[in-house]
């Protein structure tokens, strides 16, 4: 525990007691609050955390956070903040006031430091740094002026995240092992770009299955379209949680 919060190290050590569905983050990527409620009614018993992304937040504003909190699930607000420090700090403070459990910020040092300051009103809120988006590959990084590999970029940004006192990182399922090996810090690793075996990769460049991501060291998995677009979202979510549960048991 750190400041009363369970750390990534705590969670890995206690892997045998993990309830996988509590680590399944459902990306509620729908355009309206009405659509969000309809989807939540279908999956609320089989997912543990609800992620609100830019589309839904822009459409409905803070009211949708209040609505989702009524389902008594932790809220993951995926805003990927990046701005001058004062703006990030003040925005994070407003998010903290909403009772959100997770907030994403791009892994830029001044932004991360500002977010940590801004969450003072809700120290239980986890600040997660976005390392390298899962739809980017090495060519994309080179275009942005970074000459190293994706893994090197992710590890460097994860190290910065730990140095600034954030709680965890967003990284694809291909990088957790490198993060764990390089950084002696109990960071949470939250992995998007997760696709069950046999399903397409959509626009993601770095994709793993649920079991691959858990075995690599991920603590939480973010899954959207494979659940949202399934003919039976509840069954799809349950199948993913079952695969995660088996992988957590093997890892522990």
């Amino acid at each position: 525990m750190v400041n009363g919060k369970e750390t990534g190290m705590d969670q890995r050590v206690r892997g045998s007691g993990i309830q996988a569905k509590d680590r399944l983050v459902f990306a509620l990527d729908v355009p309206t609050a009405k659509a969000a409620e309809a989807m939540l009614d279908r999956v609320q018993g089989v997912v543990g955390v609800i992620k609100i992304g830019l589309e839904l937040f822009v459409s409905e504003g803070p009211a949708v956070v209040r609505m989702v909190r009524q389902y008594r699930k932790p809220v993951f607000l995926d805003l990927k903040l990046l701005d001058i420090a004062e703006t990030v700090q003040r925005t994070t403070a407003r998010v903290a006031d909403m009772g959100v459990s997770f907030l994403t910020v791009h892994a830029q040092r001044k932004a991360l430091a500002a977010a940590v300051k801004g969450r003072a009103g809700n120290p239980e809120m986890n600040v997660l740094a976005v390392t390298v988006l899962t739809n980017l590959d090495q060519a994309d990084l080179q275009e942005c002026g970074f000459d190293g590999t994706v893994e090197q970029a992710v590890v460097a940004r994860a190290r910065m995240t730990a140095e600034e006192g954030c709680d965890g990182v967003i990284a694809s399922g291909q990088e957790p092992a490198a993060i764990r090996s390089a950084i002696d810090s109990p960071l949470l690793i939250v992995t998007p770009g997760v696709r069950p075996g046999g399903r397409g990769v959509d626009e993601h460049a770095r994709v793993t299955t649920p079991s691959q991501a858990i075995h690599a060291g991920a603590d939480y998995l973010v899954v959207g379209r494979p659940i949202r677009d399934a003919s039976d979202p509840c069954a799809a979510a349950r199948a993913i949680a079952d695969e995660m549960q088996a992988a957590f048991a093997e890892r522990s």
Side-chain angles (χ1 to χ4, degrees):
M1 294 276 184
V2 175
N3 296 325
K5 296 170 68 174
E6 188 176 39
T7 68
M9 184 67 74
D10 296 325
Q11 296 181 7
R12 295 199 304 282
V13 169
R14 296 155 69 176
S16 60
I18 289 173
Q19 294 298 310
K21 74 178 182 67
D22 294 337
R23 304 296 185 85
L24 177 55
V25 182
F26 175 48
L28 194 59
D29 294 331
V30 295
T32 66
K34 182 177 180 179
E37 286 189 272
M39 184 59 69
L40 286 172
D41 287 339
R42 301 184 71 177
V43 303
Q44 63 169 319
V46 290
V47 300
V49 182
I50 306 300
K51 184 174 85 72
I52 298 171
L54 288 172
E55 178 188 17
L56 184 57
F57 193 74
V58 168
S59 174
E60 302 289 350
V64 77
V65 175
R66 294 190 290 271
M67 183 274 287
V68 171
R69 290 194 68 207
Q70 292 176 0
Y71 285 80
R72 300 186 182 280
K73 301 286 186 185
V75 175
F76 183 129
L77 191 55
D78 188 19
L79 298 184
K80 299 183 179 72
L81 298 179
L82 180 59
D83 210 312
I84 65 170
E86 182 183 12
T87 298
V88 172
Q89 182 175 339
R90 291 169 65 90
T91 301
T92 301
R94 302 289 75 75
V95 173
D97 290 343
M98 298 180 200
V100 165
S101 297
F102 301 88
L103 172 67
T104 56
V105 181
H106 273 289
Q108 192 276 336
R109 190 177 294 276
K110 290 181 180 179
L112 296 177
V116 170
K117 291 179 182 177
R119 61 110 176 258
N122 177 12
E124 295 300 305
M125 184 176 74
N126 292 279
V127 174
L128 305 176
V130 180
T131 56
V132 176
L133 295 171
T134 54
N135 70 322
L136 302 181
D137 58 19
Q138 190 163 344
D140 294 310
L141 290 187
Q142 289 175 338
E143 193 172 64
C144 295
F146 185 84
D147 292 331
T149 66
V150 171
E151 183 177 289
Q152 288 170 335
V154 169
V155 169
R157 292 168 185 177
R159 184 175 289 111
M160 179 198 307
T161 299
E163 290 168 354
E164 293 304 324
C166 298
D167 303 283
V169 294
I170 308 294
S172 90
Q174 296 180 14
E175 291 100 36
I179 294 170
R180 300 296 188 204
S181 176
I183 300 171
D184 186 21
S185 178
L187 289 173
L188 290 174
I189 298 180
V190 181
T191 294
V194 175
R195 293 293 182 269
R199 195 190 187 284
V201 301
D202 299 308
E203 78 275 22
H204 295 286
R206 302 180 342 269
V207 174
T208 51
T209 67
S211 58
Q212 287 170 338
I214 297 299
H215 283 303
D219 296 301
Y220 288 81
L221 303 188
V222 180
V223 184
R225 282 169 282 191
I227 297 173
R228 183 198 67 187
D229 297 344
S231 57
D232 186 341
C234 183
R238 185 177 292 112
I240 292 169
D242 288 346
E243 182 178 343
M244 291 171 63
Q245 192 72 64
F248 276 124
E250 291 166 359
R251 192 175 82 179
S252 67

